[in-house]
Amino acid sequence: MTAHHDATLADSYNFAYLDEQTKRMIRRAILKGVAVPGYQVPFASREMPMPYGWGTGGVQVTAACLTPDDRLKVIDQGADDTTNAVSIRKFFQRTAGVAVTESTVEATLIQTRHRIPESALTAGQILVYQVPIPEPLRFLEPRETETRKMHELEEYGLIHVKLYEDIARHGTIATAYAYPVKVEGRYVMDPSPIPKFDNPKLSNSPALQLFGAGREQRIYALPPFTHVVSLDFDDHPFEASKAPHDCDLCGASDSYLDEVITDDQGGRMFVCSDTDFCRVRQEAGHLGAMAVPNLAGSA
Amino acid sequence: MSDALLGGFEQAPLQSSNAFRAALAVLSQPGEIRELQGALPPAPLSVAAGVLLLTLCDGTTPVHLAGGHDCAAVRDWITFHCGAPLVGAEAATFAFGDWTALHPLGRFAIGQPDYPDRAATLIVEMATLTATGAALRGPGIAEVAHLSLPEIAAFQANRALFPLGFDCFFTCGVWVAALPRSTRVEAV
Ligand SMILES: [Zn+2]
């Protein structure tokens, strides 16, 4: 058996698409990532039957972790029903035969693009992030040899300078997504383009968090109960901000909201970005400002 | 049929996926003990150590066999089932043996300052393995966990090297636990 099956053979013989040697390589990288939280482990990313923007790094980490007993949830910016999420979910149903769910609570493994679910994650769950640019220092220093050196020497002054320039220019830290964090007082890490509203959920989570970057060929990890701090300053402490509204469908005041244009007259509404969270709340009878007429109309 | 041909995974993709999840669970939650089944390696290799070998090792991962583990039966079994090259301690990605046989520990790779992942993983065969004894704190542990480590000082010295250092799995029969280099260890 070789690592170079054609696509048809791969589909029929390889659990979760990847051949065993590739999965072993990815699994070893994941274990080293767990052993050194926040450090980016290089791995030999494989071609996947989907474009890079579709989360090939996350898909490879998920493929290496899945067992036939898993219940997989896939979300794209909080939603289970986008093309990207549906495609990835179908891919693993077909290649690994796993059960799937939209319920955060019932899922054993969740692959996500750009959000952390609102419902608290629990022990035993794995959250796999799709990461476009894993290196938090890349926009300060394009050379890999240099950023590696900066991590080695804990030379993180430049990234603080960048955040402080935000404050000087805007009066506040303007970075709203992919807000950098420090892991266990050692490595500065890019949490992927989640809104900074989600940053506090990175820390001390009972779930295992794994990060996969396909094009950049990096895997990193946050074991459960890892201490994660968003970078900030004494005079400008980190704030996990969100739109100052309640969800118009479920009334939640504490969830991350998307602004949705509802008509061409400038109508708009704010709804939970986490579609499962919003649906569960509505089913439990929680109604937002714009939910009642809809429900009455459909009854 | 030679014994070396027996005792491997019968359904490698499924058995290795289940075994990896157990290995991932114990390494990401130091002190946790899980079961590893599915391989029947020759003595003195335990079932759990044999399963780790089949799950993680192949022709790209040099393996060191320490002490009594460096015997013809184990060498042949690894060569047939994994194809892993057998090497001295200094060149090993994975090392298998009893705690005393693995000494001196300074021989094993602890990674490089810019690539701390290039460090050895030690699979330490134990006579007993229980969630008692040394106090463990750090990533993966809510407050404190306990594990029957073979000693304390070596793991404190290894932690002092962080982010460099080796990582350990402990195996006993079908049972496995782990201690990544990030864990802070204290005697109780
Ligand atoms: Zn809502």
Side-chain angles (χ1 to χ4, degrees):
Chain A
M1 192 153 124
T2 74
H4 303 286
H5 302 293
D6 69 47
T8 318
L9 278 174
D11 281 355
S12 49
Y13 287 127
N14 291 329
F15 176 73
Y17 184 78
L18 295 173
D19 63 87
E20 288 303 293
Q21 183 170 353
T22 298
K23 280 185 284 191
R24 274 194 299 273
M25 176 269 295
I26 296 171
R27 287 165 177 164
R28 290 191 296 262
I30 292 171
L31 293 177
K32 287 304 176 196
V34 164
V36 190
Y39 164 74
Q40 303 163 52
V41 183
F43 80 110
S45 183
R46 293 292 190 262
E47 289 291 323
M48 297 301 287
M50 55 196 74
Y52 273 121
W54 283 49
T56 55
V59 166
Q60 289 176 81
V61 170
T62 296
C65 287
L66 277 180
T67 76
D69 301 329
D70 273 311
R71 270 188 311 284
L72 174 69
K73 172 182 166 79
V74 182
I75 47 172
D76 179 3
Q77 309 230 13
D80 297 86
D81 57 359
T82 69
T83 309
N84 185 318
V86 170
S87 301
I88 293 172
R89 202 160 57 229
K90 280 191 179 150
F91 175 74
F92 284 117
Q93 275 182 295
R94 187 166 57 79
T95 59
V98 292
V100 295
T101 180
E102 295 193 0
S103 164
T104 298
V105 179
E106 288 173 13
T108 55
L109 192 153
I110 302 171
Q111 181 171 329
T112 181
R113 176 174 175 273
H114 303 184
R115 273 310 311 276
I116 299 177
E118 302 290 353
S119 310
L121 299 177
T122 53
Q125 287 183 312
I126 300 178
L127 184 60
V128 176
Y129 295 76
Q130 303 173 199
V131 182
I133 302 170
E135 178 49 74
L137 308 173
R138 183 64 68 229
F139 66 98
L140 299 168
E141 170 53 65
R143 288 165 299 179
E144 171 68 14
T145 47
E146 291 304 307
T147 53
R148 218 156 248 291
K149 197 100 209 152
M150 290 159 78
H151 285 295
E152 171 188 336
L153 301 173
E154 298 184 69
E155 267 180 19
Y156 296 131
L158 271 182
I159 197 162
H160 279 99
V161 168
K162 153 74 172 73
L163 291 173
Y164 211 87
E165 281 171 359
D166 268 11
I167 296 171
R169 200 173 306 135
H170 310 286
T172 178
I173 297 176
T175 304
Y177 298 88
Y179 191 103
V181 297
K182 198 167 201 183
V183 179
E184 290 282 329
R186 181 55 182 85
Y187 285 99
V188 166
M189 186 192 96
D190 181 313
S192 86
I194 58 172
K196 66 178 179 180
F197 173 82
D198 282 342
N199 270 30
K201 296 182 231 167
L202 294 161
S203 190
N204 257 331
S205 172
L208 169 63
Q209 301 173 81
L210 303 175
F211 300 77
R215 187 175 40 216
E216 305 270 336
Q217 314 207 79
R218 294 290 183 274
I219 287 170
Y220 49 105
L222 296 173
F225 306 111
T226 294
H227 194 51
V228 178
V229 177
S230 302
L231 301 184
D232 66 356
F233 304 91
D234 289 342
D235 52 345
H236 283 86
F238 173 81
E239 257 183 280
S241 54
K242 63 177 279 263
H245 300 274
D246 294 348
C247 173
D248 283 321
L249 293 179
C250 76
S253 61
D254 55 354
S255 67
Y256 189 74
L257 303 172
D258 287 335
E259 188 175 353
V260 179
I261 307 299
T262 52
D263 55 39
D264 54 9
Q265 314 295 310
R268 55 182 195 156
M269 62 193 292
F270 289 93
V271 298
C272 295
S273 121
D274 184 332
T275 52
D276 170 63
F277 176 80
C278 197
R279 180 181 51 79
V280 168
R281 278 183 54 85
Q282 291 175 66
E283 286 170 3
H286 299 283
L287 296 179
M290 295 170 77
V292 179
N294 288 345
L295 285 185
S298 66
Chain B
M1 189 152 73
S2 152
D3 288 350
L5 308 187
L6 303 172
F9 284 153
E10 283 168 12
Q11 291 181 294
L14 301 186
Q15 287 171 298
S16 60
S17 72
N18 285 320
F20 172 67
R21 278 292 277 280
L24 180 61
V26 297
L27 191 73
S28 61
Q29 299 165 93
E32 178 95 359
I33 298 174
R34 293 283 172 98
E35 195 172 357
L36 285 178
Q37 292 271 20
L40 291 171
L45 210 51
S46 66
V47 168
V51 171
L52 285 177
L53 245 166
L54 298 181
T55 304
L56 299 175
C57 302
D58 56 33
T60 69
T61 58
V63 164
H64 176 69
L65 297 174
H69 281 65
D70 186 19
C71 62
V74 172
R75 283 198 299 265
D76 291 350
W77 194 77
I78 291 176
T79 301
F80 179 76
H81 291 282
C82 310
L86 300 172
V87 299
E90 291 78 4
T93 304
F94 291 90
F96 294 76
D98 298 340
W99 182 241
T100 48
L102 288 165
H103 281 66
L105 300 169
R107 300 176 296 162
F108 294 104
I110 56 169
Q112 302 155 216
D114 49 348
Y115 287 96
D117 53 300
R118 296 176 181 173
T121 302
L122 312 185
I123 289 82
V124 185
E125 300 265 35
M126 307 275 286
T128 59
L129 187 61
T130 58
T132 59
L136 316 181
R137 291 181 179 80
I141 303 164
E143 286 182 19
V144 61
H146 297 274
L147 192 64
S148 55
L149 297 178
E151 70 163 276
I152 304 288
F155 299 105
Q156 292 175 332
N158 190 49
R159 178 62 181 80
L161 301 170
F162 190 88
L164 303 185
F166 53 77
D167 307 300
C168 290
F169 286 95
F170 302 97
T171 48
C172 177
V174 299
W175 303 103
V176 65
L179 195 80
R181 68 192 82 171
S182 60
T183 306
R184 297 183 297 278
V185 176
E186 280 175 19
V188 289

